[in-house]
mmCIF file of all heavy atoms in Angstrom:
data_model
loop_
_atom_site.group_PDB
_atom_site.id
_atom_site.type_symbol
_atom_site.label_atom_id
_atom_site.label_comp_id
_atom_site.label_asym_id
_atom_site.label_seq_id
_atom_site.Cartn_x
_atom_site.Cartn_y
_atom_site.Cartn_z
ATOM 1 N N ARG B 22 -24.109 16.235 -7.787
ATOM 2 C CA ARG B 22 -24.754 17.211 -6.974
ATOM 3 C C ARG B 22 -25.137 18.486 -7.696
ATOM 4 O O ARG B 22 -25.550 19.448 -7.144
ATOM 5 C CB ARG B 22 -23.770 17.675 -5.775
ATOM 6 C CG ARG B 22 -23.533 16.568 -4.824
ATOM 7 C CD ARG B 22 -22.524 17.002 -3.781
ATOM 8 N NE ARG B 22 -22.461 16.155 -2.611
ATOM 9 C CZ ARG B 22 -21.926 14.999 -2.557
ATOM 10 N NH1 ARG B 22 -21.377 14.404 -3.621
ATOM 11 N NH2 ARG B 22 -21.970 14.241 -1.443
ATOM 12 N N GLY B 23 -24.736 18.487 -9.011
ATOM 13 C CA GLY B 23 -25.092 19.700 -9.775
ATOM 14 C C GLY B 23 -24.076 20.819 -9.802
ATOM 15 O O GLY B 23 -24.352 21.872 -10.252
ATOM 16 N N ALA B 24 -22.951 20.581 -9.234
ATOM 17 C CA ALA B 24 -21.848 21.574 -9.076
ATOM 18 C C ALA B 24 -20.511 20.744 -9.167
ATOM 19 O O ALA B 24 -19.854 20.422 -8.223
ATOM 20 C CB ALA B 24 -21.980 22.332 -7.807
ATOM 21 N N ALA B 25 -20.149 20.407 -10.550
ATOM 22 C CA ALA B 25 -19.017 19.551 -10.792
ATOM 23 C C ALA B 25 -17.819 19.951 -10.149
ATOM 24 O O ALA B 25 -16.917 19.245 -9.729
ATOM 25 C CB ALA B 25 -18.847 19.333 -12.229
ATOM 26 N N LEU B 26 -17.496 21.283 -10.077
ATOM 27 C CA LEU B 26 -16.211 21.763 -9.586
ATOM 28 C C LEU B 26 -16.153 22.035 -8.122
ATOM 29 O O LEU B 26 -15.214 22.249 -7.549
ATOM 30 C CB LEU B 26 -15.901 23.124 -10.361
ATOM 31 C CG LEU B 26 -15.529 22.996 -11.812
ATOM 32 C CD1 LEU B 26 -15.391 24.207 -12.472
ATOM 33 C CD2 LEU B 26 -14.360 21.943 -12.036
ATOM 34 N N ARG B 27 -17.338 21.929 -7.425
ATOM 35 C CA ARG B 27 -17.291 22.346 -5.959
ATOM 36 C C ARG B 27 -16.345 21.457 -5.156
ATOM 37 O O ARG B 27 -15.611 21.950 -4.347
ATOM 38 C CB ARG B 27 -18.734 22.246 -5.447
ATOM 39 C CG ARG B 27 -18.823 22.845 -4.064
ATOM 40 C CD ARG B 27 -20.229 23.123 -3.717
ATOM 41 N NE ARG B 27 -20.287 23.764 -2.202
ATOM 42 C CZ ARG B 27 -21.180 23.523 -1.404
ATOM 43 N NH1 ARG B 27 -22.291 22.889 -1.801
ATOM 44 N NH2 ARG B 27 -21.156 24.107 -0.247
ATOM 45 N N PRO B 28 -16.426 20.178 -5.302
ATOM 46 C CA PRO B 28 -15.472 19.227 -4.483
ATOM 47 C C PRO B 28 -13.994 19.639 -4.808
ATOM 48 O O PRO B 28 -13.136 19.592 -3.889
ATOM 49 C CB PRO B 28 -15.831 17.870 -4.821
ATOM 50 C CG PRO B 28 -17.221 17.921 -5.192
ATOM 51 C CD PRO B 28 -17.444 19.234 -6.033
ATOM 52 N N LEU B 29 -13.696 19.859 -6.028
ATOM 53 C CA LEU B 29 -12.367 20.209 -6.368
ATOM 54 C C LEU B 29 -12.036 21.558 -5.839
ATOM 55 O O LEU B 29 -10.845 21.707 -5.259
ATOM 56 C CB LEU B 29 -12.206 20.267 -7.926
ATOM 57 C CG LEU B 29 -10.869 20.750 -8.508
ATOM 58 C CD1 LEU B 29 -9.678 19.827 -8.030
ATOM 59 C CD2 LEU B 29 -10.952 21.021 -9.971
ATOM 60 N N ASN B 30 -12.900 22.537 -6.073
ATOM 61 C CA ASN B 30 -12.596 23.865 -5.530
ATOM 62 C C ASN B 30 -12.291 23.884 -3.992
ATOM 63 O O ASN B 30 -11.595 24.710 -3.497
ATOM 64 C CB ASN B 30 -13.770 24.870 -5.864
ATOM 65 C CG ASN B 30 -13.712 25.284 -7.334
ATOM 66 O OD1 ASN B 30 -12.766 25.203 -7.969
ATOM 67 N ND2 ASN B 30 -14.920 25.635 -7.760
ATOM 68 N N SER B 31 -12.997 23.048 -3.236
ATOM 69 C CA SER B 31 -12.850 22.951 -1.774
ATOM 70 C C SER B 31 -11.315 22.660 -1.388
ATOM 71 O O SER B 31 -10.991 23.085 -0.344
ATOM 72 C CB SER B 31 -13.671 21.913 -1.170
ATOM 73 O OG SER B 31 -13.340 20.624 -1.487
ATOM 74 N N ILE B 32 -10.602 22.024 -2.278
ATOM 75 C CA ILE B 32 -9.172 21.789 -2.009
ATOM 76 C C ILE B 32 -8.438 23.080 -1.725
ATOM 77 O O ILE B 32 -7.420 23.147 -0.934
ATOM 78 C CB ILE B 32 -8.597 20.947 -3.087
ATOM 79 C CG1 ILE B 32 -9.256 19.537 -3.098
ATOM 80 C CG2 ILE B 32 -7.048 20.815 -2.880
ATOM 81 C CD1 ILE B 32 -8.889 18.747 -4.311
ATOM 82 N N ALA B 33 -8.910 24.210 -2.438
ATOM 83 C CA ALA B 33 -8.149 25.562 -2.370
ATOM 84 C C ALA B 33 -8.474 26.184 -1.024
ATOM 85 O O ALA B 33 -8.059 27.398 -0.882
ATOM 86 C CB ALA B 33 -8.490 26.319 -3.561
#
Side-chain angles (χ1 to χ4, degrees):
R22 290 177 167 75
L26 293 175
R27 191 168 181 209
L29 172 65
N30 287 338
S31 69
I32 295 171

